[in-house]
Amino acid sequence: MKLSRLALGLSLSAPALLLASPSALAQTLSGTVTNAAGKPLANATVEIEALKRVTSTNELGEFTFSSVKEGDYTLHIFASGFAHLHEHTQVQSDNAEGANFVLARSAIEVIDVHATPMHLSVMESATPVSVLSGETLRRQQAATLGDTLEKLPGVQSNFHGNVASTPIIRGLSGPRVLITQNGLDVSDVSRVGPDHAVASEASTAKQIEVLRGPATLFFGSGAIGGVVNVVDQRVPTSTETRGEFVLETQTVNDQKLGTFNVTTGVDNIAFYADGFYRDSNDYETPVAPDIDDPDGAHVVENSNEESSGFTLGTSYLFDQGYVGVAVERFEREYGVPGHSHGGDTSVLADLEQTKYQLLGEYNFTNDFLQSVLFRAGYTDYEHAEVEGGLVGTTFSNETEELRVELLHKPMAGWRGGISLHYKGSDVFAQGEEAFTPPSEMEVFAVALMEERHFGDFLVQLGARAESVTLDASSVLLPELDAHEHDDEHDHDEHAHDEHEGSEFVRQFAVDQEFTPISLSAGVVYTINESYNVGVSLSRSERAPSASELLSFGPHIGTRTYEIGALFDLSEEGEFVLSQTAIDLETANNIDLTFRKTQGDVGFVFNAFYNQVDNYYFQEETGLFAESGHDHDHDEEGHGEEEHSEDEHSDELPVYLFGSADAILHGFELQVAWQTTDNLKLDFFADYVKARLKDGGALPRTSPMRVGSHVAYTLDNIRADLDITYFAKQDDISTFETETDGYTLVDASITYDIPLGDIDLSVYLSGENLTDEEARVHTSFLKDIAPRPGRNFAFGVRGYF
């Protein structure tokens, strides 16, 4: 293969690899990996893709595979700081010497994705991908998943008072963004409401992967907006002893954090364990949290948390693969800001989850199947809202899931396979704030994925068909006194009593069936050694979630009264069963990507256009309904001017789920410049415009951002500086308010101390160093819970 034709622009200095065995069917495949200056690269990873066999280079850059049959193979070679190499080679009995592979430098770190059965990485796929790992992950990890990922291009957070947040990908979140752990649904209720925390921990993760744009081909209709996959080693694939630990304290909320993970093993049996503990108080802000109370305390009340968890795993390793099992216990108790039931009674969320995972892989030696990968999981989740020591409302989710991926050996140049997927979820809510009825959802799916190189073109194709059933045997339609707040409305106690006397609740069963179909096609064209361009087209369908269809009740976490799309507002002002058919949400998405993959300067530019038909969203009706509680977060009132508002302190604005055609488009840009061996500069920008096709902006759309990162290393010292500007968001929907722009400045310094077999790092970091008032436009609590003020963290990190 000519130098100018390499898929990732990596050069090959010899025509073939040495096969030294006298047997024509069991040869030895060996070679050497160096950089452009001829220096051997130690610990580079070399994989024979068709055989799924992996090894690493030694101190001299040498690698060896024994017992390799004669034939044609593709090697995948990669190392940190270098572009990946996919190189064809031929194994023959008469080879005379090994080959030297030269890796080209890459300013943008290229990391493989574990979430998909097909090979994906930042620089090689038609699908936009981001990966957070290594030192960058540890430096950016936060108590919540959304806040951990929000410095990635195209990803923002729906910040919920520092205690809960989920990622927003290209303006989409909730039931459109699937959160998984090792490829299996995390199976909490975080997609039901922003006040529900994600039951996953970043501090024990190996890496976190984000697939931007529709990922329904791999994960189903719940991933129409993207996927976040948290990867850890709970089912270990190596018996090598290694691990890490972190001890940290922070000032803004007196947080204390301790975490560890370790992998070891004996013979063919591998073991894994991890654990963490976090405790924090209410966090401080630069200004009084409540916009309506500028003289209040500079603390967001009820934003404390205490969480802990542990994981134990083991696996059996054999020549053809591995099989293993792991169990995790996750507990978290946290306050819900802005959620109090009168007086001094705060509401706490008490989350408990037990998760079991069975993971395995088997590589075949026959002429058709290459490998089978299987993932199975069972999750028992419970989330209780505790009021004054008593349980008020309980949410639970019991989920079983199975994924089996059968990959075939290359056929006529095509690589790929079939994915079979089953997931069953039983969601139950009980209590006065159980705004969704109990429901069961089952998903059966089959998907086909294939890819092939045609010279400088990589073609990726896929299709997925699902059967989705949603059953709810006890859906309630109460008679609701929804009214406007105006001078003519007389909502006195007498009227309220009359309403209660005539209250009527209807009950009925719902049985919905959907068949979402997803299609995808992508092409990556390698222009030359340094540049490639990609295009991805997809058509994805999504079945609406139970909360989008069946909700009817107060959702205090968002301070709204939610009513699902199964209901409608009649001309008489009453809520009735909707006569409109429930349709699938359909996204037609195009992604264009231009990348520079080699050299001291690298970049990735993505532009996307996503037209979503039957887009389900909450629309404010202008009506108000009683919550059943006094949710006044200010116990002393605000004076005579706001006395009339206090009269309605137990009322919530009514939001009705509906559907309309929507358009989302925008871009993401990432640039990296390795100016010297010691200094690296990074820049990113992202923007999304989300609007209804017939006019009007979608609510809580992420604002435009521009950010930069400077990293400087000298001997054992590393210094990092991040500056991120969030633009003013004035492209808003009806009843929504504008949000001012702000700039966040973060910095850290780390000192490495080698201690024998342990690499110890001591670090000091600061966040929001300018103590900027920052209100997150995508947050339901932006008016009462801004971002934390100036914060310093001191910690010790160790690797062994």
Side-chain angles (χ1 to χ4, degrees):
M1 186 176 185
K2 296 181 180 180
L3 294 180
S4 61
R5 300 298 186 183
L6 292 182
L8 291 179
L10 298 172
S11 59
L12 178 64
S13 60
L17 296 176
L18 173 63
L19 296 175
S21 171
S23 170
L25 297 179
Q27 309 299 324
T28 298
L29 174 61
S30 63
T32 304
V33 180
T34 67
N35 63 14
K39 181 180 178 180
L41 294 179
N43 297 318
T45 301
V46 183
E47 177 188 14
I48 304 177
E49 291 185 344
L51 303 179
K52 302 296 284 289
R53 293 181 59 182
V54 179
T55 189
S56 298
T57 58
N58 59 21
E59 294 297 326
L60 299 177
E62 300 169 341
F63 68 89
T64 300
F65 292 99
S66 59
S67 302
V68 180
K69 291 183 179 181
E70 294 184 8
D72 295 328
Y73 298 95
T74 298
L75 295 181
H76 179 200
I77 306 174
F78 55 95
S80 178
F82 294 87
H84 288 210
L85 168 64
H86 294 270
E87 183 60 56
H88 297 289
T89 189
Q90 190 176 57
V91 175
Q92 297 177 345
S93 59
D94 57 351
N95 283 95
E97 58 182 14
N100 181 48
F101 295 88
V102 181
L103 299 190
R105 190 171 181 171
S106 175
I108 296 180
E109 188 74 9
V110 183
I111 304 171
D112 281 339
V113 174
H114 295 258
T116 64
M118 308 295 291
H119 175 252
L120 294 179
S121 75
V122 175
M123 292 300 208
E124 300 168 290
S125 170
T127 302
V129 181
S130 296
V131 180
L132 196 61
S133 68
E135 291 294 328
T136 305
L137 172 58
R138 293 296 169 251
R139 185 167 53 85
Q140 297 183 9
Q141 72 186 32
T144 62
L145 184 62
D147 298 342
T148 297
L149 299 176
E150 69 169 342
K151 289 183 180 178
L152 291 176
V155 183
Q156 295 199 36
S157 166
N158 68 350
F159 180 83
H160 198 83
N162 218 40
V163 295
S165 73
T166 55
I168 299 174
I169 301 178
R170 295 178 168 182
L172 299 176
S173 61
R176 296 177 181 86
V177 173
L178 181 65
I179 301 174
T180 64
Q181 195 155 33
N182 300 314
L184 295 172
D185 196 334
V186 73
S187 300
D188 52 26
V189 294
S190 61
R191 283 170 285 174
V192 174
D195 57 321
H196 300 160
V198 177
S200 184
E201 177 60 28
S203 67
T204 57
K206 174 186 176 183
Q207 67 185 48
I208 304 178
E209 306 160 348
V210 179
L211 277 64
R212 304 192 304 273
T216 54
L217 182 66
F218 302 109
F219 293 96
S221 60
I224 198 170
V227 165
V228 175
N229 184 43
V230 180
V231 180
D232 56 33
Q233 296 296 302
R234 65 180 56 198
V235 174
T237 57
S238 171
T239 58
E240 178 186 0
T241 299
R242 62 181 183 274
E244 65 176 308
F245 63 87
V246 176
L247 297 172
E248 181 183 281
T249 182
Q250 295 187 14
T251 60
V252 77
N253 56 359
D254 298 321
Q255 177 179 281
K256 307 296 187 295
L257 171 67
T259 178
F260 80 94
N261 66 76
V262 61
T263 302
T264 189
V266 178
D267 296 328
N268 288 11
I269 306 297
F271 300 97
Y272 173 85
D274 72 35
F276 78 95
Y277 175 79
R278 179 186 292 105
D279 180 73
S280 65
N281 297 325
D282 295 343
Y283 71 89
E284 300 174 354
T285 65
V287 296
D290 196 332
I291 289 178
D292 296 328
D293 186 19
D295 298 323
H298 291 203
V299 174
V300 174
E301 296 183 359
N302 214 25
S303 61
N304 58 304
E305 72 145 312
E306 182 179 6
S307 56
S308 62
F310 70 87
T311 306
L312 297 175
T314 185
S315 60
Y316 175 70
L317 313 179
F318 49 93
D319 290 341
Q320 288 78 32
Y322 71 94
V323 61
V325 64
V327 59
E328 175 195 18
R329 179 66 176 176
F330 184 95
E331 297 181 357
R332 192 163 191 235
E333 185 177 84
Y334 60 96
V336 183
H339 187 165
S340 63
H341 290 166
D344 296 323
T345 305
S346 296
V347 176
L348 295 176
D350 188 3
L351 185 162
E352 296 181 357
Q353 178 174 274
T354 303
K355 181 189 294 290
Y356 302 89
Q357 288 192 346
L358 174 66
L359 309 179
E361 177 179 341
Y362 188 89
N363 298 299
F364 294 91
T365 58
N366 61 38
D367 294 331
F368 179 71
L369 280 179
Q370 174 178 298
S371 61
V372 56
L373 297 86
F374 61 91
R375 303 182 180 99
Y378 170 78
T379 303
D380 186 7
Y381 171 95
E382 186 173 280
H383 170 128
E385 292 190 351
V386 182
E387 312 165 18
L390 301 176
V391 175
T393 304
T394 300
F395 299 87
S396 66
N397 185 1
E398 189 174 350
T399 302
E400 307 93 23
E401 186 172 12
L402 174 64
R403 294 170 60 93
V404 179
E405 289 148 357
L406 301 168
L407 304 181
H408 63 77
K409 291 188 175 178
M411 295 188 302
W414 289 94
R415 299 176 62 249
I418 294 177
S419 174
L420 306 174
H421 186 201
Y422 166 78
K423 181 166 63 177
S425 298
D426 187 354
V427 180
F428 179 79
Q430 185 176 25
E432 53 197 4
E433 292 177 10
F435 56 94
T436 57
S439 63
E440 295 181 5
M441 179 172 282
E442 278 193 328
V443 178
F444 294 89
V446 58
L448 175 67
M449 299 151 287
E450 296 289 338
E451 69 176 20
R452 180 182 174 181
H453 282 89
F454 294 89
D456 295 329
F457 292 88
L458 170 64
V459 177
Q460 298 175 327
L461 304 174
R464 180 185 177 100
E466 296 183 53
S467 173
V468 181
T469 59
L470 174 63
D471 295 324
S473 59
S474 181
V475 178
L476 303 180
L477 174 56
E479 184 177 288
L480 183 66
D481 177 25
H483 52 270
E484 296 180 354
H485 280 177
D486 53 42
D487 295 337
E488 297 179 1
H489 180 76
D490 182 15
H491 186 65
D492 56 21
E493 184 177 353
H494 176 69
H496 177 65
D497 291 340
E498 284 185 349
H499 162 66
E500 292 216 349
S502 61
E503 186 172 348
F504 176 71
V505 179
R506 284 165 285 179
Q507 180 175 327
F508 55 94
V510 171
D511 182 3
Q512 293 280 337
E513 295 184 6
F514 305 95
T515 309
I517 305 293
S518 297
L519 303 172
S520 177
V523 177
V524 179
Y525 170 56
T526 302
I527 301 172
N528 55 34
E529 293 180 354
S530 298
Y531 296 91
N532 67 45
V533 61
V535 59
S536 175
L537 302 172
S538 64
R539 178 178 173 83
S540 306
E541 294 181 329
R542 181 180 77 91
S545 66
S547 60
E548 290 172 308
L549 288 182
L550 309 177
S551 296
F552 205 116
H555 188 179
I556 309 305
T558 61
R559 307 180 129 222
T560 61
Y561 198 103
E562 292 190 3
I563 298 178
L566 202 64
F567 310 99
D568 204 352
L569 185 62
S570 69
E571 295 180 357
E572 292 76 21
E574 297 181 352
F575 286 96
V576 297
L577 282 176
S578 175
Q579 301 302 311
T580 304
I582 302 300
D583 292 324
L584 290 169
E585 186 176 276
T586 304
N588 298 282
N589 188 81
I590 179 170
D591 260 286
L592 300 175
T593 303
F594 182 45
R595 292 175 282 224
K596 185 177 186 296
T597 61
Q598 292 188 20
D600 293 332
V601 176
F603 63 78
V604 179
F605 175 75
N606 296 105
F608 64 91
Y609 182 90
N610 191 8
Q611 178 176 315
V612 187
D613 298 333
N614 300 314
Y615 180 89
Y616 287 89
F617 69 104
Q618 287 178 296
E619 188 172 16
E620 190 164 355
T621 62
L623 303 177
F624 292 81
E626 293 192 10
S627 65
H629 290 290
D630 180 7
H631 294 276
D632 184 12
H633 59 274
D634 184 357
E635 299 155 20
E636 298 181 0
H638 304 315
E640 294 183 3
E641 279 187 5
E642 301 184 11
H643 177 71
S644 62
E645 291 184 10
D646 293 339
E647 293 178 355
H648 303 291
S649 60
D650 62 341
E651 295 184 339
L652 300 172
V654 177
Y655 279 74
L656 177 64
F657 275 99
S659 65
D661 295 345
I663 295 175
L664 301 94
H665 59 88
F667 70 88
E668 299 121 12
L669 174 64
Q670 179 184 5
V671 181
W673 180 21
Q674 189 75 51
T675 59
T676 68
D677 289 338
N678 304 104
L679 181 63
K680 184 179 179 182
L681 307 178
D682 289 279
F683 168 85
F684 82 92
D686 56 25
Y687 168 77
V688 60
K689 183 175 179 63
R691 57 186 174 86
L692 295 174
K693 190 174 182 181
D694 294 334
L698 289 175
R700 291 175 295 282
T701 298
S702 308
M704 181 178 178
R705 293 184 304 171
V706 177
S708 62
H709 171 238
V710 181
Y712 180 76
T713 57
L714 180 63
D715 298 328
N716 292 352
I717 297 178
R718 175 187 172 106
D720 294 273
L721 173 66
D722 289 278
I723 302 175
T724 308
Y725 169 69
F726 291 74
K728 176 181 180 179
Q729 182 57 286
D730 54 9
D731 190 9
I732 57 177
S733 66
T734 307
F735 302 109
E736 196 177 11
T737 59
E738 298 180 357
T739 305
D740 292 335
Y742 53 90
T743 301
L744 298 180
V745 179
D746 306 330
S748 66
I749 185 167
T750 305
Y751 182 70
D752 297 330
I753 308 172
L755 294 176
D757 294 333
I758 298 179
D759 294 325
L760 194 67
S761 298
V762 180
Y763 62 90
L764 174 67
S765 65
E767 298 176 323
N768 194 8
L769 292 176
T770 59
D771 210 28
E772 180 96 347
E773 178 184 355
R775 298 187 183 271
V776 182
H777 183 76
T778 54
S779 172
F780 279 90
L781 300 182
K782 71 172 185 175
D783 291 338
I784 65 169
R787 289 181 185 269
R790 185 183 295 113
N791 178 39
F792 292 100
F794 175 76
V796 178
R797 209 163 31 229
Y799 301 90
F800 57 89

